[in-house]
Amino acid sequence: MYRKVEDFLEDWTVSYEGTANVIKAMTDEKLDQSIVENHSTLGWLAWHLVGAAGAFGQFAGLKVQGPGRNDLQPTSVQEISQAYEAVAHAIKEEAAKLTDEDLLEVVMSFTGETKRGKLLRGLIDHQTHHRGQMTVLLRQAGLTVPPIMGPTKEMQG
C-alpha cells in the first residue's frame, strides 16, 4: 500500500514505461499470438491493460478516461500504444494532485471498499502480472523482448 504519493509516482513511472516498451515490441501481425488456442492474446492483454488502467484510475477518483468494456480492441499496435500512453500519463498527472492523506482515504474498488493507496498498489501489481505474460508471448511469437527492469537474455550476449 502506498502512503506517499511520491513513492507511487516513482513506481508508476518505471512500471508504465516498461509496459509501454512491451506494447511497442508487438507487431500488428502478432496481435493474435497466444500461448495456446483460446487463451489471452498479445493484443487482448495490451488492450486489457489500457482499460484496466482507466478503471483503476476511476476507482481511485482520478480523472482518467480509458476504453469501456464494449470498446473493440484496435487492430494496430500504434493505436493500442497511443491509448496506453494517454491513460498512463493521465494517471501520473492526476495522481500528482493527490496528497499523502488522500492515499489513506477509503474508496470503492473492484471488490469493495479499500484504501486508495492499496488500490494504486494493485494497479501496478495487475500491470506487472500481465506484462510478464506478454513477455512470454513476445518470445513465443519470435519478437524481441525489450528491457523492462534490466537487460534481457538477448542483451547479455
Side-chain angles (χ1 to χ4, degrees):
M1 183 178 122
Y2 288 102
R3 296 185 193 311
K4 297 253 180 222
V5 172
E6 178 182 346
D7 293 341
F8 169 73
L9 292 173
E10 185 177 317
D11 285 355
W12 178 245
T13 300
V14 170
S15 186
Y16 87 70
E17 287 175 351
T19 300
N21 287 338
V22 168
I23 292 171
K24 290 174 187 169
M26 301 183 324
T27 64
D28 294 349
E29 298 75 31
K30 298 293 185 172
L31 286 176
D32 289 333
Q33 179 69 45
S34 65
I35 197 150
V36 294
E37 192 173 337
N38 296 321
H39 267 247
S40 301
T41 64
L42 268 173
W44 184 90
L45 287 165
W47 191 238
H48 172 66
L49 288 178
V50 176
F56 271 94
Q58 290 172 6
F59 276 124
L62 307 178
K63 293 178 183 166
V64 175
Q65 187 61 44
R69 284 185 167 258
N70 296 325
D71 289 345
L72 294 178
Q73 171 194 318
T75 56
S76 83
V77 172
Q78 182 177 359
E79 287 180 70
I80 295 170
S81 179
Q82 288 172 342
Y84 178 76
E85 294 272 355
V87 75
H89 288 293
I91 287 172
K92 186 173 182 176
E93 289 173 9
E94 286 292 309
K97 298 174 186 175
L98 296 173
T99 65
D100 293 344
E101 293 76 28
D102 290 334
L103 297 178
L104 301 176
E105 184 179 334
V106 174
V107 297
M108 287 303 294
S109 74
F110 301 94
T111 58
E113 293 184 342
T114 191
K115 290 183 180 176
R116 183 177 281 118
K118 184 174 182 180
L119 181 65
L120 292 174
R121 179 72 246 170
L123 164 62
I124 291 178
D125 291 345
H126 176 261
Q127 180 171 258
T128 301
H129 164 71
H130 288 307
R131 187 177 61 218
Q133 291 176 313
M134 292 171 71
T135 61
V136 170
L137 294 177
L138 286 174
R139 276 216 172 86
Q140 187 180 14
L143 300 172
T144 301
V145 176
I148 300 165
M149 299 179 79
T152 62
K153 180 179 180 183
E154 295 83 358
M155 295 172 74
Q156 295 175 358

